[in-house]
Amino acid sequence: MLRATLKSLLARKLRLILSGLAVVLGVMFVAGAFVVTDTLSKSFDSLFASAYSTTDVGVTAKPKVAVSEFEGEEVVTPLPASALAQVRGVPGVKSAAGLVDADGARVIGSDGKVLTSVGPPRIGSAWAGTDDLVQLREGRGPTADDEFVVNATVAKAAGIKVGDRVGVLTLEPKKEFKLVGIYGYSGDRDSLGGVQEVAFTEPVAQKLMLGQTGVYSSVRVQAEPGVTPEALRDRIAATLGDGYVTKTGDQLVADTSADLQAGLGFFTNILLGFAGVALFVGIFLILNTFSIIVAQRTRELALMRALGASRRQMIGSVLVEAVVIGLIASVLGLAAGVGVGALLAYLFNSFAGGGMQLGTVGVPLTAIISSFVVGVLVTVVAAVLPALRASRIAPVAAMQDVATPDRPLTKVSVAGGVVTAAGATGLGLGLFADMGDATLWTILAGVLVSFIGIALLTPLISRPVVSAIGRLFSWSLPGRLGRLNSGRNPRRTAITAAALMVGIALVTGVTVVMDSAKASLKAEAATILKAEVVISGDQNGPRPPTYDPAVLRDTAKIPGVRAVAGLWNDQVTINGENHYVNATDNLAGLKDAFGNTAVGTPSTLRDDQLAVSVPEAQDYGWQVGTKLTIQPARGDPREYTIAAVYPEDSLPGSYVLPVAAAKDFGITQPTMGFVRLADGYAVSQVLPQVKALLADSPEVSAQDAQAFVDEQAATFDTLITMIQILLALAILIAVLGVINTLALSVLERTRELGLLRAVGLGRAQTMRMVTVEAVVISVFGALLGVVVGAGMGTAVTRALKSDGITELVLPWERMGTYLVLAALVGVIAAVLPAIRAARLNVLGAIAHD
Amino acid sequence: MTTTDSREPAAARAGEVWKVYGTGEARVVALRGVSAEFERGRFTAIMGPSGSGKSTLMHCLAGLDTVDRGEVHVGGTKITGMGDKALTRLRRDRVGFIFQQFNLLPTLSAQENIRLPLDIAGRKPDPQWWDIVIDTVGLRDRLSHRPSQLSGGQQQRVACARALIGRPDVIFADEPTGNLDSRSGAEILSFLRASVREHNQTIVMVTHDPVAASYADRVVFLADGAIVDELTGPTPETVLDMMKRLDTHAEPVML
Ligand SMILES: Nc1ncnc2c1ncn2[C@@H]1O[C@H](COP(=O)(O)OP(=O)(O)O)[C@@H](O)[C@H]1O
Ligand SMILES: [Mg+2]
């Protein structure tokens, strides 16, 4: 039995490869996710081992506001010189160096633009001379206050050379420095893990990066011989007391590396998402292939039954086939995954990591185990139904000429209806009921189950819809034949189309939600934002873009400007909880910019007052006069009194503080600005002058309100594009399914094709016939996808109504594009089968049995 | 009054046609220098024992297969050396086919199957001729049926109608009655003959059945890839006689 199974497997290599490919892709992403994570982790470990090679114990001050990896950058709390002196006094300390380095030194390149970063920080530090790690490549270290050096990554990216005068943005607005040297790292590295680093003299670095002179960001301690780092760490910690974090070099390596790896988790999740979609769609493909194989082998299987094979053996034979395919696909997927993982690690390193020495490619055991489990499981699950069908073949079928007719679709349709209803219920529960933490999973499960249900219903729908779509092509004979062929096997057509449906439904659904969100944002912005000119910039790194506050003062002087308000923002703790807050230098101007709807709010805030939005005040039971303790990123906590409670959206955000509070923010410069014009002035009269004032603040620009809103809304377009790219994979796999189905159909209809060719159907016409069949299937799948996706998108959008997505936009244009693309996909999928059909030897085909 | 004009080309003609399959051990010479003419308006049967090369000859004449040596003409056109495009057009416009089985597309109705060659060519049937053909094969009340709803004999009649509808230069039929009971077979053969007599159609039919061959105007006998004899105005008895003689005659050759 096993031998017979394996033999028949070999005989059908091509179609098994096609269907197995989906599993290969899925497994590839699973394995790739593990491999890239492992490889990068090992590389991070060795990177930080190198960076901390001269550190036995490291000391930092506890951050005032703890910020998680996803919320942004933690602000370094400066460590006073007194702490450094204390450390030096601890017995066992051989040397203790006060270091200055903090994120936020943004170099302006020779093209006038700020160097961006996709992840690694842009560090400003105090030059500590060369050592085993840091090596000057050119020039010398900085000695004067207006001199600085940069690492080779910065020099290359900015296109600057020794002797140039270079602008740098720090806690302070743009300042110019003379570049006196360029340095690299041991092993001829341009950077450590892609970090862009610049170094000033110590006092300058302290002032610009930490906000005051005489403080350090950390202390690097070397132990005397015979003193273990752990012992020394404990001694230092005891000496310094609370308020400091003391770690050994090994701990620092582990913790810093772990932080970065937490960032990689996002990456891993994307890859696993890919894998999930690929495998889900792959199940349809495999199911289809096995069904077709079983149908084609009906006589062979019936003969086996007639010869005494039991039902169990029939099921076994199909499942063994599935296991073998699953194993092969897993092996291939694992191999491809190692390749993809290594490639991703390399790409990540080159573009986001820059210059890290990649460790050897790591293939953790988890990668291998999960590859095989996933690959085999998915294949076997997909083969269960066909296996059952095989077992139901009656022995008498061996003697009958005709294949057993398709069973009626009623049972499947009823099952489909039930499953769809269950899925829709899950989706509805997730969206509209309060499910707490389970919400996301309920929605996902609902979507998944709905897909399966709809896939079951597809054969029923396929008859009328396919014939309707087909009519579009019926004007020519090949078109008509193609249409008829696509309607011949509703189940097969349906499953093929359903695979395509999944990808397109997801894209469409997300597009509906995104477009609705975008429209809602625009509509809301139009009603609440009254400022004619907005100063803002693209966030191109972990920290927001900023500009020189002097611009605000100068803008106010432009004729025609009625009011200008700057906006600072940061995370602080309020009564011990983290919150985003805004600060402004001109509350009256800010109110004006939002249409003067903040009723009851004074026009200025005293330095110890703040304004809170109504919902926030209600949540916490606060009112005017309540006192709040606010701890900003720097300095000491302060008490503020609520001076006003403003209606939501009448001022930006939930908290507005006076500008005085911003001097202790992590970023002490404004990130946005709003300008209101006096009556009778046009934007065109004022905007150029504001732009001119921003010449030295290259991170931001000024634009009219409409352009600003459009720009904000455009982020949704970027998101949509990204999701379209992600889901293109699902569609690609579905295309494999269309190719597979067509190839099988062509094979099955060899004799028909021969007859057609004999009575004069030309090669081109034959190809057209096959192409029409593919296009009809694809368009059917896309149509289903668009309808289902629009439905799901609408449901999600409606569910988010209370979260601010008030508009519902059905993106007809995009949906039309998806349909057109599907038709194109059909044409592409048809190429190979069509060529095969056209090349058919007429005589051989007629003789074919 | 059809006197054979010597300058009018034959409907189909084979000149010194050789066809060899395989090489080495598996080498089979299916046709060894066959020359034959099939005049217009005549019903010719090709007879011979199984494996004598009848089907091969027909396939070569119809442009379904290529010859290794020699030439084939259909009408006045030399088809030897033609490309696939030209051959396809030739089959579509000038040749009709009736196979032993699997003659019809299961997705199309009888009517659509009959029109198939015209539809492929994008031509309209001549309504008068359409009526004649449909009435000849007696399918008027079955036109909207699918092949699966028709009996074997009816299916074969549909195939005949399809071959006739385009008024081709020549119709090739390979054992058209091979799969039918004798009554249905006789029906088919009768109106094949009728279409020759009444509508001046040319038909070349391959068969190994003496009764079927007796419907033809002329029988060409093939043995071991060569034409060995022919008979005009055959009856089942004369054909059977000839076959018997060929069998004994063929035996020494087969050694
Ligand atoms: N495609 C082929 N490949 C190899 N040999 C063939 C092929 N077709 C026919 N033959 C051989 O050529 C000879 C003539 O075959 P065929 O024309 O089919 O005979 P008939 O139709 O008279 O029974 C036979 O010996 C047959 O085995
Ligand atoms: Mg034959």
Side-chain angles (χ1 to χ4, degrees), chain B residues 209-220:
Chain B
D209 173 11
V211 179
S214 68
Y215 282 81
D217 302 320
R218 168 185 170 224
V219 185
V220 174

Side-chain angles (χ1 to χ4, degrees), chain B residues 21 28 30 49-56:
Chain B
Y21 290 112
V28 178
S50 179
S52 56
K54 305 183 295 287
S55 295
T56 307

